[in-house]
Amino acid sequence: GLICHAANTMAEAFEQMNRYAKLVMDTGIDNAAQRFKLTPEGENVWIEDCRPNPNMFPELTETTFSRFIGDFDRYIGGPRPFKALHITHPQPTHAQTYNDLFCVPVTFGAGKNALLADKSWLAISFADQNRYTFGVLSKHAEALMKKLTLSNTLRGHIEQMLLKVLHTGDVSMEQVADLMGVSRATLFRRLKSEGINFEQLLDELRRTMALHYLEGGKATVNEVAYLIGYSEASSFSRAFKRWTGKAPSKYK
């Protein structure tokens, strides 16, 4: 929201919203695809919600477009540029309420979830752009997007599996394969095809989590050793010194 409001125009804000939509909600859209698209139609433009299953969670359709309309009233004001709303789910018994709330004609059972707006909507500028805020938050959002993309890879998926059992100390490729519902041989082939070594992945995850816990300052060295799967603090200390060149007590 802050990134959008720091944009120069509504068109730029829409672009930023689309870029970081995956940080807000997982709607099943492929990483390469976008949640919303703009389709020109004469002097107007359709703002279409491209969720793969448009009829899943009708409430999401309603809240999505109510925000487009409501935020315009809240932050911009003046004559509304919106002209019509198309909704894919069937017409409910309280259909008139939609027209009253959205203040535009609503068509149910349509071929798309979309809001029709005058093209002038794209050129509307925000009163108080903060380009410093825009730069700082955009940089942070990009970093989050990279993490999200990584979490969708095989490596990211395995790391999520490992985090659930890391503290047990009994972590093996067989155990992860079982959690993923595949055989050890299948997991081994998939890892090899992506150039991933399981033991190295586990070691790097333990290092990352050890640094995370110690930098947080809320766990002792012994507790960190347990959390990342070492039965003895001395074993953890040796591994930590290999990772960082320092003893964990010195690092902390």
Side-chain angles (χ1 to χ4, degrees):
L2 291 172
I3 290 175
C4 290
H5 284 268
N8 285 318
T9 65
M10 195 66 72
E12 185 179 340
F14 181 88
E15 180 184 346
Q16 300 305 316
M17 176 195 67
N18 227 1
R19 177 176 297 168
Y20 301 123
K22 293 181 180 68
L23 295 177
V24 180
M25 183 178 296
D26 180 6
T27 55
I29 293 178
D30 182 78
N31 282 337
Q34 291 187 319
R35 167 79 187 275
F36 300 96
K37 73 175 181 179
L38 297 175
T39 304
E41 186 178 279
E43 296 301 313
N44 304 312
V45 61
W46 284 103
I47 308 163
E48 183 178 352
D49 187 340
C50 300
R51 304 197 316 271
N53 189 340
N55 283 326
M56 185 176 286
F57 303 115
E59 300 86 353
L60 180 55
T61 301
E62 296 164 4
T63 55
T64 294
F65 292 116
S66 67
R67 283 173 179 156
F68 274 105
I69 296 172
D71 284 356
F72 178 86
D73 291 343
R74 190 174 297 112
Y75 299 110
I76 305 298
R80 287 175 172 170
F82 307 110
K83 300 182 177 181
L85 177 62
H86 282 196
I87 294 178
T88 57
H89 60 261
Q91 179 172 314
T93 56
H94 55 283
Q96 183 55 45
T97 306
Y98 287 76
N99 292 289
D100 296 339
L101 291 175
F102 289 106
C103 299
V104 294
V106 180
T107 300
F108 294 95
K112 59 185 177 183
N113 289 312
L115 178 64
L116 185 67
D118 190 282
K119 282 184 178 178
S120 61
W121 174 76
L122 295 169
I124 293 172
S125 61
F126 292 94
D128 301 307
Q129 301 100 20
N130 187 327
R131 301 307 288 179
Y132 175 76
T133 298
F134 182 86
V136 171
L137 295 181
S138 294
K139 183 178 180 180
H140 182 56
E142 285 295 339
L144 291 174
M145 285 292 288
K146 288 180 180 178
K147 285 187 178 181
L148 182 63
T149 300
L150 178 61
S151 70
N152 291 329
T153 64
L154 175 61
R155 182 189 184 101
H157 190 44
I158 291 174
E159 287 178 343
Q160 292 301 313
M161 295 295 102
L162 287 172
L163 286 172
K164 297 176 183 179
V165 297
L166 198 60
H167 67 282
T168 67
D170 182 22
V171 181
S172 65
M173 192 185 299
E174 288 83 357
Q175 188 175 12
V176 173
D178 186 57
L179 288 170
M180 295 177 67
V182 300
S183 68
R184 184 190 185 283
T186 297
L187 180 57
F188 178 81
R189 286 195 300 271
R190 291 176 61 185
L191 286 168
K192 188 175 181 180
S193 68
E194 296 193 14
I196 300 172
N197 178 283
F198 181 82
E199 287 72 23
Q200 183 180 353
L201 185 154
L202 175 60
D203 190 63
E204 290 175 357
L205 180 62
R206 280 177 164 156
R207 177 186 183 278
T208 298
M209 296 310 298
L211 294 175
H212 171 74
Y213 289 132
L214 289 174
E215 288 170 358
K218 296 182 179 180
T220 66
V221 171
N222 285 343
E223 288 169 339
V224 174
Y226 164 77
L227 288 169
I228 65 172
Y230 285 93
S231 59
E232 298 179 358
S234 58
S235 299
F236 166 59
S237 295
R238 286 194 296 273
F240 194 86
K241 195 166 185 179
R242 172 169 55 83
W243 294 329
T244 66
K246 298 179 181 179
S249 57
K250 298 288 185 182
Y251 185 89
K252 189 172 185 297

